[in-house]
Amino acid sequence: MIGSLLYYALYPLSRYMESRRLHSVWNGGAITTRSFTQSQNNMLDHWLGPGNGTKGQTEAKMKEPSPEQEDDTWRLMAVLHGTIKNEAGSKMSEGESAVKEKEAETRNGQIQDAVEAPEQGGGEITVHYEVFNTKQNTEDGSLSPTEDPNQDQASGLHLACLLTEDITQETPSPGQEKLNIPSLEKPMPPAEVTECWDEYLDPVAVGKGGESSLELICSLLLSNTQPSKVSRQHGTQAGWHFPAGPGLAEELQCPLWQFPAISYYPPVDSTVPFEVMWRVWEEVDESATAAEPFPFTKASMDFTVMSYNILADDLLQAHQVLYTHCPLEVLDWSYRCSLLLEEIQKWKPDILCLQEVQENHYHEQLYPALSQMGYTCVYKRRTGTKTDGCATCYRSSCFSDISVTTLEFFRPGIEQLDRHNVGIIVLLQPVVMHGSEVKAKGSLLCVANTHLLFNPRRGDVKLAQLAIMLAEIDSVVKSCEAKGEHCNLILSGDFNSVPSMPLYQLITTGELYFQGLPASMISGQEDLSHRAYGHRLFAPLWPSSLGITDRCQYTSVYKEVSKRESQKSGKGQYSHDFMRQLRFCPAACIRPLDLQLIPGVTDITSEASRVNQPDKSFSHTISHRLDLESVYKHVLPGFGNPEVTTLHSEGAATVDYIFYSPRCTSVWDQNAGDFASKGLKLIASLSLLSEEVLWSMKGLPNHIFPSDHLSLLARFQVDLNAA
Amino acid sequence: MNNKFDALKDDDSGDHDQDQGSPKDSEKEKTEDKDEDQNSSRRKMVVPGAGEHPLQYNYTFWYSRRTPGRPASTQSYEQNIKQIGSFASVEQFWRFYSHMIRPGDMTGHSDFHLFKEGIKPMWEDDANKMGGKWIIRLRKGLASRCWENLILAMLGEQFMVGEEICGAVVSVRFQEDIISIWNKTASDQATTARIRDTLRRVLNLPPNTIMEYKTHTDSIKAWEDFHGLVNPSGGR
């Protein structure tokens, strides 16, 4: 039987996959698998609908006003790259970049087909039955004009694969399917299927089990055989849209893997150079967001935000030791630039926050290319001698800008702000254009982009830089509030700090008790606790002359004063509050040299020590009032391997983030006479990868990813109001 | 009013200005020498540090205390008054202030003076001789807070009377504390009224608080009357 043949043929491959941290492979596999046969799956869902109620569930989960449209949505999910020959697959490879609608047609046809299928099996799923049906469907599909590649693979291999898929697919409830595919074990299949399924999990199982696992592998391979492109139909359960067109699959295109001469890993059987790139859209668990108490439909707009540290060439050259693992050609800027632009072109983020953008590259290459893609760009070079900076770009067709602020963190005379990092904050108005006319508007969106200091020992600097960023965001929010408008937040960039460490905590929990913390611990980038003489943090973290409180807000008087100062020349006018804020500034804690010592009168030991008592206003905590949550949760589904956003020869870590203000419960808005939901609804994020997987691609940068960071990409939804 | 002060003086409390007796002629030269020293050291003008918040004027803290057991009239005012230090910015102000005892914690017969750099806390100073002061008497327990509010308002230029303000004094006495703010031109009623209103505001005084304006010439006269000096030609 074909299955057993395949089993033997592919056995080495399965071993290989095992050797590569099986679980992560399988995670990807699970997703891929699902996505691969999504069309079939959907079809089966519908077909099985009457029997097991899957369809009903699906519909219940539909939140979008037009489910039919949703049905049309096809998603490109993931690519498994391999050299297994599957002529059908490769031949049809172009097919799957097909436009949604056409695919939808195809799929509808399939559904009908499926529905017409004689046996409405319900939970009773037998292998043969499925094979039969899938085959039928596949044939139908192949007749359709836009040939869904999935169906084109009408070989036995396919069928086996489809079989697996279908079982996998139909068993989990749609809710469970989302994001929740951490491991293959997770889905709870109906009783009939369970047995098989368990066996599928055992890659080296024999007999039926062996076949099953083989089939699973087949499915992986099949998706591989489609050169890098797998379309995924994201049916109704998902309720989110992906751009039509080339999309992700192309992005993930991995040219036949060419192992350079030097490899960290012993070359795998060269006949099976099997490489996997799973940067796939992962939906947010619907169960979490489904709790929304008002399931009314409201016009909404989806947009995507990408944060990307693109590795400035000058920095690469300056730190070549970090990239010794890379073949020289992938370090070449023009090569990296073309990969970068390709990547942006593929994902088409609506908002793009770049870091480490070298000034000349920005002006010569990136800006021209990006503006041609329809982006409006803001660039801010770092102060000092470094040649790179940050760039924030947004699609002018989706956003109009309200204000743009560029921030320099370098403040002469302030020890904690002696480094030349910068940030950009733009306030955008999401708009839906119809022709040249604005049809609808969303809540204002404040997009902050920064690249904090790298130096792991200078946590004090990072915190002060972050405080400036937060204070500026806060003032933007305030200015919106003053106009009676709500403002959603995106804070993204390279924070040079790892998850759950103090700086991260400050952002996500809104508070940090810092007194006595070693400055080197703030970011958690490296464990420097062995350093005996580490600098520790003590209040105040920055001099009050910075004009930022320990709540990461501008002192209102500070603004008031500076305003007044600018208005009239009458300098030196200060309010009590303002002056009191300076009371415990570092200068006030030092005994003046020229202070006459009068016992009992001027020998008071610095009042600061008195004030340090907890009952005083001098806080050992810094906080902020912005509600920020990370898009990424920093562990990969399944075995919980850490995600990494950057990797080079000295380590891998998550240091890049997209934080956003999450949607809170809808509230009745008197003004709008409507339920206004504040905050952003996170729809999906582009999965990150584990360190192992990245090393299996020979680290970063490589032939796919042009930087030593990965791009972060998130899809949000914001409600619209008619203009 | 003067009588009242005089009466208070006897029980070791009262208007410090009247206690700050004129030095005897024999002491005068000595103290003038000392003044020279102080002046020369003061000439090194303080400047705001980098990034600090400059004040419109530089100020100098002074401290005076009457040595217990000696009658007020036998002590030189200038003998007893000490310069604590000068500052030019908000930050520098706090440096001094945070190392100084709070008026409410002081014991005995003591005064803090905070005057613009170059102006001595004496009636006779050129800046003061045409001037006067607003006086507020406080029951015990209020001095620290009121003093701080007063000087912050002065340093922060909240009185909005141009260059009229000369300085402020807090006097700790036996049964009460007295704060006062001095200005240049006693005859300028608009200015003095404005100072009074600002005082009420920044000290958050109840409306019935008695505020008393006293010209320095009156103060001098009262002092002389008290000490039985007929001829005030000494300028004291």
Side-chain angles (χ1 to χ4, degrees):
Chain A
M1 185 176 164
I2 294 171
S4 55
L5 270 174
L6 276 168
Y7 176 73
Y8 288 112
L10 297 174
Y11 181 73
L13 180 61
S14 70
R15 298 304 304 221
Y16 169 75
M17 293 176 74
E18 268 188 302
S19 72
R20 288 293 179 89
R21 295 304 293 259
L22 188 58
H23 55 270
S24 57
V25 171
W26 284 126
N27 293 338
I31 297 161
T32 312
T33 298
R34 183 171 64 125
S35 67
F36 171 64
T37 44
Q38 187 72 40
S39 56
Q40 283 84 2
N41 169 38
N42 259 27
M43 164 179 77
L44 271 174
D45 278 352
H46 285 258
W47 160 63
L48 289 169
N52 63 8
T54 307
K55 191 176 180 187
Q57 281 179 18
T58 308
E59 279 180 352
K61 296 212 60 134
M62 291 193 267
K63 305 190 117 195
E64 304 285 325
S66 58
E68 278 78 16
Q69 280 187 350
E70 291 307 311
D71 284 347
D72 297 346
T73 316
W74 287 74
R75 295 294 135 76
L76 305 173
M77 278 300 284
V79 165
L80 298 171
H81 172 81
T83 56
I84 304 293
K85 298 280 188 288
N86 182 319
E87 289 174 11
S90 52
K91 194 170 65 190
M92 295 307 173
S93 57
E94 310 94 345
E96 109 262 36
S97 64
V99 185
K100 301 182 194 178
E101 290 76 17
K102 292 187 175 179
E103 286 182 328
E105 284 172 24
T106 311
R107 200 187 57 80
N108 286 339
Q110 294 161 3
I111 291 167
Q112 283 168 8
D113 233 64
V115 173
E116 284 161 15
E119 296 119 309
Q120 304 276 324
E124 289 278 276
I125 304 162
T126 67
V127 167
H128 294 293
Y129 178 69
E130 286 179 359
V131 169
F132 171 72
N133 279 289
T134 13
K135 190 184 257 167
Q136 209 179 18
N137 295 326
T138 308
E139 284 163 6
D140 280 320
S142 62
L143 292 177
S144 77
T146 46
E147 302 173 334
D148 181 340
N150 298 332
Q151 286 130 25
D152 293 329
Q153 303 170 344
S155 66
L157 194 60
H158 273 119
L159 291 177
C161 147
L162 294 174
L163 167 73
T164 321
E165 305 293 337
D166 292 338
I167 291 170
T168 332
Q169 285 301 302
E170 63 198 26
T171 49
S173 78
Q176 283 170 321
E177 261 184 298
K178 338 224 120 165
L179 243 207
N180 234 340
I181 334 161
S183 72
L184 289 178
E185 293 95 323
K186 261 210 172 147
M188 304 293 288
E192 288 86 352
V193 188
T194 311
E195 274 184 20
C196 302
W197 183 240
D198 287 341
E199 284 159 355
Y200 291 163
L201 294 176
D202 180 5
V204 289
V206 289
K208 190 188 173 193
E211 270 183 32
S212 307
S213 70
L214 161 68
E215 286 159 0
L216 194 59
I217 293 163
C218 286
S219 75
L220 291 169
L221 292 173
L222 283 174
S223 33
N224 278 332
T225 53
Q226 313 194 0
S228 81
K229 309 184 185 182
V230 176
S231 60
R232 176 184 185 192
Q233 173 178 12
H234 226 295
T236 48
Q237 307 107 319
W240 39 267
H241 289 264
F242 282 77
L248 175 121
E250 280 181 0
E251 166 57 27
L252 295 175
Q253 180 160 11
C254 177
L256 253 182
W257 193 255
Q258 291 165 4
F259 283 101
I262 311 154
S263 167
Y264 282 94
Y265 291 89
V268 198
D269 180 358
S270 60
T271 61
V272 192
F274 181 86
E275 207 44 68
V276 188
M277 266 117 284
W278 314 267
R279 295 220 58 188
V280 300
W281 279 106
E282 286 181 343
E283 303 155 68
V284 171
D285 188 350
E286 197 70 14
S287 64
T289 49
E292 206 162 318
F294 307 106
F296 58 90
T297 56
K298 185 164 181 174
S300 62
M301 162 179 168
D302 285 10
F303 64 92
T304 51
V305 178
M306 175 182 276
S307 178
Y308 205 167
N309 178 325
I310 61 169
L311 178 56
D313 194 46
D314 283 350
L315 295 178
L316 187 155
Q317 303 301 337
H319 304 284
Q320 289 183 4
V321 65
L322 297 178
Y323 310 104
T324 47
H325 59 278
C326 300
L328 277 180
E329 72 267 17
V330 307
L331 298 180
D332 174 63
W333 165 250
S334 57
Y335 178 69
R336 293 200 298 121
C337 182
S338 65
L339 282 183
L340 170 70
L341 289 172
E342 244 174 70
E343 188 168 348
I344 294 170
Q345 183 68 50
K346 301 282 165 49
W347 295 109
K348 294 187 165 46
D350 299 310
I351 297 170
L352 181 55
C353 295
L354 298 175
Q355 301 89 40
E356 288 196 24
V357 183
Q358 201 168 306
E359 193 175 33
N360 59 330
H361 294 156
Y362 173 76
H363 291 298
E364 289 159 19
Q365 285 138 312
L366 296 175
Y367 175 73
L370 289 171
S371 45
Q372 197 159 29
M373 289 185 215
Y375 290 102
T376 303
C377 303
V378 179
Y379 180 74
K380 176 65 189 171
R381 185 185 145 165
R382 289 162 71 177
T383 51
T385 54
K386 296 281 167 55
T387 54
D388 65 303
C390 295
T392 299
C393 313
Y394 54 92
R395 209 173 275 289
S396 345
S397 56
C398 305
F399 301 97
S400 58
D401 58 309
I402 308 289
S403 71
V404 173
T405 313
T406 58
L407 288 173
E408 295 179 1
F409 300 146
F410 179 77
R411 304 290 163 98
I414 299 182
E415 180 202 349
Q416 298 86 347
L417 290 166
D418 59 350
R419 298 307 172 96
H420 294 276
N421 300 79
V422 296
I424 300 175
I425 295 178
V426 294
L427 182 60
L428 300 176
Q429 170 86 68
V431 291
V432 175
M433 306 288 288
H434 194 262
S436 61
E437 177 193 357
V438 176
K439 267 187 76 186
K441 286 181 176 179
S443 294
L444 292 173
L445 181 67
C446 174
V447 180
N449 174 20
T450 190
H451 185 185
L452 301 185
L453 176 72
F454 170 76
N455 189 335
R457 291 184 303 279
R458 297 297 305 276
D460 52 336
V461 178
K462 293 173 201 242
L463 281 179
Q465 294 182 341
L466 177 65
I468 295 180
M469 206 70 192
L470 293 172
E472 190 63 39
I473 296 173
D474 180 78
S475 80
V476 169
V477 170
K478 274 195 186 122
S479 72
C480 294
E481 282 168 351
K483 286 181 280 179
E485 294 199 61
H486 177 71
C487 177
N488 296 316
L489 306 178
I490 299 277
L491 169 60
S492 74
D494 180 350
F495 292 77
N496 273 315
S497 304
V498 306
S500 306
M501 294 307 280
L503 185 133
Y504 177 90
Q505 274 178 24
L506 172 61
I507 297 175
T508 55
T509 67
E511 195 171 76
L512 173 67
Y513 182 90
F514 61 81
Q515 189 78 354
L517 273 184
S520 57
M521 229 186 80
I522 296 300
S523 70
Q525 286 157 292
E526 2 180 320
D527 183 7
L528 297 168
S529 52
H530 57 278
R531 295 168 63 95
Y533 301 105
H535 167 62
R536 285 173 186 272
L537 298 184
F538 294 103
L541 284 183
W542 49 79
S544 44
S545 58
L546 181 58
I548 291 177
T549 67
D550 53 15
R551 302 178 57 78
C552 294
Q553 295 176 319
Y554 288 123
T555 57
S556 52
V557 264
Y558 172 82
K559 286 225 148 174
E560 183 188 313
V561 166
S562 44
K563 211 188 301 165
R564 212 186 292 153
E565 277 179 2
S566 62
Q567 279 168 0
K568 53 177 188 175
S569 57
K571 280 197 165 190
Q573 198 170 35
Y574 306 107
S575 71
H576 281 63
D577 284 344
F578 178 74
M579 293 179 72
R580 288 203 169 101
Q581 273 161 5
L582 298 177
R583 184 176 207 142
F584 306 114
C585 66
C589 302
I590 309 161
R591 186 185 171 84
L593 291 174
D594 54 340
L595 175 57
Q596 300 265 327
L597 183 69
I598 305 170
V601 179
T602 64
D603 58 354
I604 306 302
T605 46
S606 169
E607 203 184 32
S609 56
R610 256 196 276 162
V611 175
N612 277 354
Q613 302 312 312
D615 59 325
K616 300 292 174 126
S617 61
F618 201 30
S619 168
H620 294 170
T621 321
I622 48 174
S623 59
H624 67 83
R625 63 168 192 139
L626 310 170
D627 186 16
L628 293 170
E629 194 174 310
S630 172
V631 165
Y632 289 89
K633 300 305 172 214
H634 320 306
V635 287
L636 292 162
F639 288 76
N641 268 14
E643 296 172 341
V644 301
T645 66
T646 180
L647 174 145
H648 48 62
S649 63
E650 286 180 6
T654 285
V655 296
D656 305 270
Y657 304 92
I658 300 176
F659 298 103
Y660 69 106
S661 53
R663 176 167 295 185
C664 48
T665 316
S666 306
V667 286
W668 179 259
D669 185 343
Q670 292 288 353
N671 299 330
D674 199 354
F675 286 101
S677 30
K678 296 179 171 179
L680 299 169
K681 183 177 178 184
L682 177 64
I683 304 287
S685 59
L686 187 67
S687 70
L688 285 166
L689 303 174
S690 69
E691 183 176 358
E692 289 85 349
V693 171
L694 286 173
W695 277 122
S696 77
M697 303 166 69
K698 305 208 48 66
L700 293 174
N702 57 36
H703 286 284
I704 294 92
F705 301 117
S707 169
D708 60 345
H709 291 247
L710 293 178
S711 58
L712 309 190
L713 185 60
R715 176 176 298 272
F716 298 102
Q717 189 177 74
V718 64
D719 284 346
L720 290 175
N721 302 305
Chain B
M1 146 168 73
N2 285 343
N3 288 340
K4 187 183 169 193
F5 282 8
D6 295 346
L8 285 167
K9 190 186 307 185
D10 288 336
D11 64 7
D12 200 26
S13 66
D15 185 349
H16 72 283
D17 294 316
Q18 304 207 355
D19 290 336
Q20 290 151 8
S22 174
K24 287 179 177 171
D25 287 352
S26 58
E27 290 171 330
K28 198 168 182 178
E29 287 178 10
K30 197 169 63 187
T31 52
E32 268 169 5
D33 292 342
K34 208 163 115 197
D35 262 357
E36 294 289 326
D37 295 343
Q38 288 181 343
N39 281 333
S40 63
S41 67
R42 216 187 306 153
R43 294 258 155 68
K44 289 182 280 177
M45 286 275 282
V46 288
V47 291
E52 293 183 343
H53 295 79
L55 296 168
Q56 181 75 18
Y57 301 95
N58 292 359
Y59 288 83
T60 305
F61 265 121
W62 304 71
Y63 169 74
S64 63
R65 179 184 171 83
R66 200 178 78 180
T67 312
R70 290 177 66 190
S73 55
T74 63
Q75 294 181 43
S76 151
Y77 174 58
E78 291 192 88
Q79 207 176 17
N80 281 331
I81 192 162
K82 289 191 170 77
Q83 259 194 76
I84 291 176
S86 299
F87 53 88
S89 69
V90 182
E91 286 82 355
Q92 291 170 351
F93 158 72
W94 288 116
R95 281 176 79 185
F96 284 101
Y97 187 80
S98 59
H99 289 87
M100 288 162 54
I101 192 169
R102 295 287 157 272
D105 298 335
M106 287 201 293
T107 54
H109 193 115
S110 320
D111 306 272
F112 276 126
H113 316 252
L114 180 61
F115 275 74
K116 284 179 180 165
E117 197 173 35
I119 300 178
K120 279 190 258 182
M122 298 178 200
W123 303 324
E124 298 81 2
D125 192 283
D126 281 347
N128 293 328
K129 61 188 177 191
M130 300 302 292
K133 64 189 175 188
W134 279 104
I135 298 166
I136 301 166
R137 305 170 156 268
L138 304 166
R139 61 181 164 82
K140 283 290 180 185
L142 299 176
S144 294
R145 185 170 60 85
C146 287
W147 170 241
E148 189 174 302
N149 282 331
L150 171 64
I151 60 177
L152 288 182
M154 181 175 77
L155 300 176
E157 295 296 323
Q158 291 182 38
F159 285 97
M160 312 278 275
V161 287
E163 302 196 348
E164 268 292 317
I165 301 291
C166 295
V169 182
V170 59
S171 305
V172 175
R173 295 299 178 260
F174 181 59
Q175 286 176 322
E176 62 180 354
D177 301 318
I178 302 160
I179 60 172
S180 55
I181 182 160
W182 295 26
N183 72 307
K184 263 190 187 129
T185 319
S187 58
D188 182 350
Q189 291 199 354
T191 293
T192 56
R194 188 164 201 172
I195 293 171
R196 181 197 60 215
D197 295 344
T198 311
L199 267 183
R200 275 192 192 281
R201 180 171 57 82
V202 299
L203 300 186
N204 205 12
L205 294 170
N208 60 353
T209 306
I210 297 166
M211 300 177 66
E212 174 191 349
Y213 192 81
K214 196 173 174 182
T215 66
H216 296 324
T217 44
D218 281 352
S219 300
I220 291 167
K221 200 176 288 170
W223 190 87
E224 284 164 354
D225 287 349
F226 180 77
H227 289 277
L229 298 178
V230 185
N231 180 10
S233 60
R236 295 252 140 211

